[in-house]
Amino acid sequence: MASKPVVLQSRFFRALCPPKQCSKPYATSNRTTSPTGGVGSYPSTSAQIADDQVARLAARPLHVLTLADFVRHGRPPLSAEALFSSANFTLSLLPIRLAHRIQALRNLPFIVVSNPHVARIYNNYLHSLSTLLPYHQRQITTLEDEIQFTEVMADLVQTHSNTIPILARGFLECRKYISPVDVTRFLDAHLRARIGTRLIAEQHIALHLSSQPHCGTGTAGKYETPPSGYIGVIDTALRPAEIIRNCESFVSEICELKYGVRPTLVINGQPDTKLAHVPTHLDYILTELLKNAFRATVESGKEREPVEVTIAASPSVPMPAVMEGATTTGYITPNESSVPGVTIRIRDRGGGISPENLPNIWSYSFTTFGDDEVPATNGNIDALNAISGAGGESSSLAGLGYGLPLGRAYAEYFGGSIAVQSLWGWGTDVYLKLRGLGKM
């Protein structure tokens, strides 16, 4: 299997392609005001951004992402002009998206946003916005600026790598002050917005790293040539069967560590099926689904029964219309109105899901813990849950019940879905539908 493009962490990126530091940090008035005019009402932060700047950016409409946005610059390696175009397009989107999330956090009850964990995320967004604003006032037209900007993108991705588990902790501690309905509404919107923001940043980083001749003389040889089928983070010839086997190996090792056994997995159907998709998203979804199937299989004493995964290519079907309002930022439309997809069924003999638990599997389970049952922040609930998924979030989310909602958010972002059918006392079938992204 071809290796996935690696989004380099900031220190490694800096070592390979060191940028020059900006001459001075960005700063504006350090006076922060509440929507009602009070001074100092928001959690303190070292990022100095005037409220009116955030308000102006948050008032601008969000760009509805399409796959054409991610392939508009062509296949790598990109020319310097195409690389500048990618950087400027990224820069045109991210400040507005960050400002929308800052405004959404400010709209939470004050006692919630004052929670140390929620305040930390609030400050992270302000920090990221402050690092982008110096570039927002001008166009990126030189290699030096592009290298510096890509370094900022790498820092942004790293800064927000643990956003969801930190928010989960904060909402768990504030569950007396905000209703589950309000939390679910906020997290649903935040998850989808975050997926898009991270995808935009990682796409430019990947295009930069796959266009290394533009990074400077003498550095191109230090980089691994990206797989030819990739456009940034998108694998145009992704084979789900290969992702399944990788996830199986990983989950099996963790399962054996905890239980001393590892269930077997068989793949049938059409294992050679290919489609264009984002491998890291599929990796996260399948890791979560296989973790659930393996755990149920072992804990029900059916470890000799294999987990069965069926891959079936789906015919071309029309893409559902993008809804107006908040949901317009929750999906990416493909390059074509009708594209083929893939359905993956994961079947286990783990006894199924009890009728009383089945209605709650898509809920954020922050309300199911008692005051003395809050899991540790480091996520050490048990070995099987200590799984690092896309973005490194899964280990910190262990025991918080965020796995399935997060997986569904990743699936739905490209027009897919996850459905669960449980036969109580026998087993569970999970249907993951992936919509292809069209020809590229």
Side-chain angles (χ1 to χ4, degrees):
M1 176 181 178
S3 60
K4 301 174 188 176
V6 177
V7 177
L8 298 181
Q9 301 299 339
S10 180
R11 285 180 294 178
F12 188 35
F13 176 83
R14 188 180 295 110
L16 292 180
C17 191
K20 295 182 179 179
Q21 297 297 320
C22 295
S23 58
K24 60 181 180 178
Y26 178 80
T28 62
S29 169
N30 59 6
R31 181 176 183 269
T32 57
T33 61
S34 72
T36 57
V39 177
S41 296
Y42 300 133
S44 61
T45 174
S46 59
Q48 299 177 348
I49 305 175
D51 281 351
D52 58 346
Q53 289 180 296
V54 176
R56 282 197 301 269
L57 287 169
R60 296 173 61 178
L62 290 172
H63 174 80
V64 179
L65 294 172
T66 68
L67 255 295
D69 292 328
F70 292 91
V71 300
R72 63 191 296 176
H73 309 293
R75 287 183 177 272
L78 302 185
S79 66
E81 290 73 19
L83 207 57
F84 299 157
S85 176
S86 172
N88 287 314
F89 178 71
T90 302
L91 188 55
S92 72
L93 302 180
L94 289 187
I96 298 172
R97 297 180 72 90
L98 294 176
H100 274 258
R101 299 324 306 157
I102 292 170
Q103 197 63 51
L105 286 163
R106 288 180 173 181
N107 290 337
L108 290 171
F110 175 70
I111 195 170
V112 175
V113 77
S114 297
N115 174 274
H117 303 290
V118 180
R120 177 180 171 185
I121 298 306
Y122 172 82
N123 290 334
N124 283 349
Y125 274 96
L126 280 177
H127 166 76
S128 294
L129 181 58
S130 72
T131 63
L132 286 178
L133 286 179
Y135 297 94
H136 193 56
Q137 308 300 326
R138 56 189 173 88
Q139 290 286 302
I140 294 174
T141 57
T142 68
L143 290 174
E144 179 181 351
D145 283 348
E146 192 277 329
I147 292 169
Q148 290 182 354
F149 176 73
T150 306
E151 170 70 10
V152 170
M153 290 296 94
D155 284 335
L156 183 148
V157 169
Q158 177 64 18
T159 297
H160 297 274
S161 61
N162 290 316
T163 290
I164 301 305
I166 295 171
L167 277 180
R169 164 68 50 170
F171 283 123
L172 187 60
E173 294 178 353
C174 295
R175 61 194 183 280
K176 295 180 180 178
Y177 311 112
I178 185 170
S179 71
V181 172
D182 288 338
V183 173
T184 297
R185 183 183 301 113
F186 176 87
L187 286 176
D188 279 341
H190 192 89
L191 285 175
R192 284 162 173 77
R194 181 184 177 279
I195 291 171
T197 299
R198 188 181 182 94
L199 193 61
I200 292 167
E202 290 183 337
Q203 179 70 358
H204 177 72
I205 294 171
L207 289 175
H208 173 95
L209 294 178
S210 58
S211 305
Q212 284 313 315
H214 309 302
C215 189
T217 304
T219 63
K222 297 182 180 180
Y223 297 90
E224 180 182 353
T225 302
S228 59
Y230 279 86
I231 301 179
V233 297
I234 300 170
D235 185 353
T236 60
L238 183 146
R239 295 183 68 242
E242 294 181 347
I243 303 291
I244 292 168
R245 286 302 183 193
N246 287 341
C247 295
E248 175 206 0
S249 176
F250 189 48
V251 176
S252 292
E253 291 178 2
I254 304 298
C255 194
E256 186 171 27
L257 176 65
K258 176 173 175 60
Y259 298 108
V261 297
R262 56 168 68 197
T264 58
L265 181 147
V266 296
I267 299 177
N268 55 33
Q270 299 171 292
D272 294 329
T273 299
K274 297 179 182 180
L275 78 164
H277 217 277
V278 180
T280 53
H281 289 190
L282 184 55
D283 185 274
Y284 176 85
I285 297 168
L286 289 171
T287 296
E288 182 63 30
L289 298 182
L290 290 182
K291 179 190 70 175
N292 294 338
F294 277 36
R295 169 186 283 164
T297 299
V298 174
E299 292 185 350
S300 65
K302 299 288 186 180
E303 60 271 10
R304 294 183 180 275
E305 297 284 345
V307 173
E308 180 183 338
V309 180
T310 303
I311 301 174
S314 305
S316 298
V317 292
M319 181 72 183
V322 177
M323 299 176 63
E324 295 296 329
T327 57
T328 58
T329 61
Y331 302 96
I332 288 184
T333 56
N335 283 338
E336 306 159 43
S337 60
S338 180
V339 294
V342 173
T343 299
I344 300 172
R345 182 187 66 188
I346 301 175
R347 169 172 288 178
D348 68 68
R349 283 287 311 279
I353 305 169
S354 65
E356 58 268 25
N357 288 333
L358 189 59
N360 302 318
I361 62 174
W362 302 113
S363 301
Y364 300 102
S365 63
F366 48 85
T367 57
T368 64
F369 297 98
D371 290 337
D372 298 328
E373 300 175 307
V374 178
T377 305
N378 61 10
N380 292 325
I381 308 303
D382 58 57
L384 188 58
N385 258 328
I387 294 173
S388 178
E393 297 170 345
S394 193
S395 61
S396 299
L397 288 170
L400 288 171
Y402 278 46
L404 280 176
L406 267 174
R408 184 171 66 171
Y410 277 110
E412 290 180 348
Y413 201 76
F414 288 102
S417 64
I418 299 178
V420 175
Q421 290 188 350
S422 171
L423 189 58
W424 177 230
W426 183 263
T428 304
D429 285 359
V430 179
Y431 294 87
L432 168 62
K433 293 186 177 181
L434 302 173
R435 189 175 298 275
L437 306 184
K439 296 178 181 179
M440 300 185 195

